Amino acid sequence: DTAVSQTPKYLVTQMGNDKSIKCEQNLGHDTMYWYKQDSKKFLKIMFSYNNKELIINETVPNRFSPKSPDKAHLNLHINSLELGDSAVYFCASSSRGTGLGLNEQFFGPGTRLTVL
Amino acid sequence: AQSVAQPEDQVNVAEGNPLTVKCTYSVSGNPYLFWYVQYPNRGLQFLLKYITGDNLVKGSYGFEAEFNKSQTSFHLKKPSALVSDSALYFCAVREGSGGYNKLIFGAGTRLAVHP
């Protein structure tokens, strides 16, 4: 009964390929996020969806396209992979609670992407 | 823009001794602050948060954090460290409001607890 799950856990691919990472949460949350953690462990938000609507889109190359088919899923598709895309990608979810958005985010285990 | 700083890359402490992991913040308005822990090859786990109220916030695994407005700090503390506390710790501040919010993370501090 994993709360936030991601597949695959590891992804090794060649430059120029297209790949997808899937995320699912069974917590009943209405907001989901994608974060990127680089080799120096620095974490930065990429996207956020609230009730399937894109609400945060940071300065991310348009090769990255998130898709949320429903509130429980947020997938990340990456086109034309580059060496610099190698990182660990974390999915997270939260609920709005009282509407102030102050509830904590729950993170998935991460997907380690290696681009060769 | 909101930001947090973690001035120490690594903190070393002997098992049984008290530990402190430092975090300072820079925000406009009220600060909403969080601490997360990341164990090797795992996702982040929530430890505690400060929204309002008591300056001393208690969280998971015996951790607590002290909010200090005058020093703009939110240091993580534990009275007696365990070897199993060794991990990467992130301080974060919320930016935005309502559903349109995101976490801005510090660079992380690696805690090493030695037997």
Side-chain angles (χ1 to χ4, degrees), chain A residues 9 33 35 37 41-43 45 55-56 58 90 96 99-105 107-109 112, chain B residues 32 34 36 38 41-44 46 49 51 88 90 94 98-103 105-107 110:
Chain A
K9 190 172 174 65
Y33 312 79
Y35 287 86
Q37 186 175 45
K41 304 296 185 184
F42 186 67
L43 264 168
I45 190 166
I55 55 173
I56 292 174
E58 294 292 290
F90 287 102
R96 286 187 61 171
L100 298 176
L102 299 174
N103 288 343
E104 59 270 24
Q105 295 179 19
F107 284 75
R112 183 176 296 276
Chain B
Y32 301 121
F34 300 77
Y36 283 81
Q38 184 178 23
N41 300 314
R42 303 283 296 277
L44 277 73
F46 169 76
K49 65 184 176 186
I51 305 299
L88 188 57
F90 290 96
R94 192 202 73 165
Y100 300 80
N101 73 88
K102 60 186 180 184
L103 288 177
F105 285 90
R110 191 167 298 282

Side-chain angles (χ1 to χ4, degrees), chain A residues 80-97:
Chain A
S80 303
L81 278 155
E82 299 178 358
L83 293 177
D85 297 332
S86 296
V88 181
Y89 293 84
F90 287 102
C91 176
S93 72
S94 68
S95 67
R96 286 187 61 171

Side-chain angles (χ1 to χ4, degrees), chain B:
Chain B
Q2 324 286 51
S3 66
V4 289
Q6 294 181 243
E8 302 154 316
D9 289 338
Q10 178 150 332
V11 170
N12 296 298
V13 65
E15 187 175 30
N17 282 1
L19 69 88
T20 299
V21 182
K22 295 180 181 177
C23 173
T24 58
Y25 64 88
S26 173
V27 304
S28 53
N30 294 322
Y32 301 121
L33 299 159
F34 300 77
W35 275 102
Y36 283 81
V37 60
Q38 184 178 23
Y39 297 101
N41 300 314
R42 303 283 296 277
L44 277 73
Q45 295 180 33
F46 169 76
L47 281 179
L48 50 81
K49 65 184 176 186
Y50 172 82
I51 305 299
T52 185
D54 289 342
N55 289 341
L56 187 63
V57 180
K58 293 191 182 297
S60 307
Y61 312 122
F63 283 92
E64 57 190 28
E66 186 170 9
F67 173 72
N68 188 317
K69 189 173 182 178
S70 62
Q71 297 184 5
T72 61
S73 66
F74 188 55
H75 300 333
L76 182 70
K77 300 182 180 188
K78 187 172 183 182
S80 178
L82 300 172
V83 172
S84 58
D85 292 329
S86 299
L88 188 57
Y89 289 80
F90 290 96
C91 181
V93 64
R94 192 202 73 165
E95 182 173 278
S97 61
Y100 300 80
N101 73 88
K102 60 186 180 184
L103 288 177
I104 307 298
F105 285 90
T109 298
R110 191 167 298 282
L111 173 67
V113 181
H114 305 286

Side-chain angles (χ1 to χ4, degrees), chain A residues 57-74:
Chain A
N57 186 346
E58 294 292 290
T59 309
V60 177
N62 58 15
R63 298 182 294 104
F64 290 78
S65 53
K67 282 188 172 51
S68 182
D70 55 58
K71 284 197 306 183
H73 296 85
L74 179 62

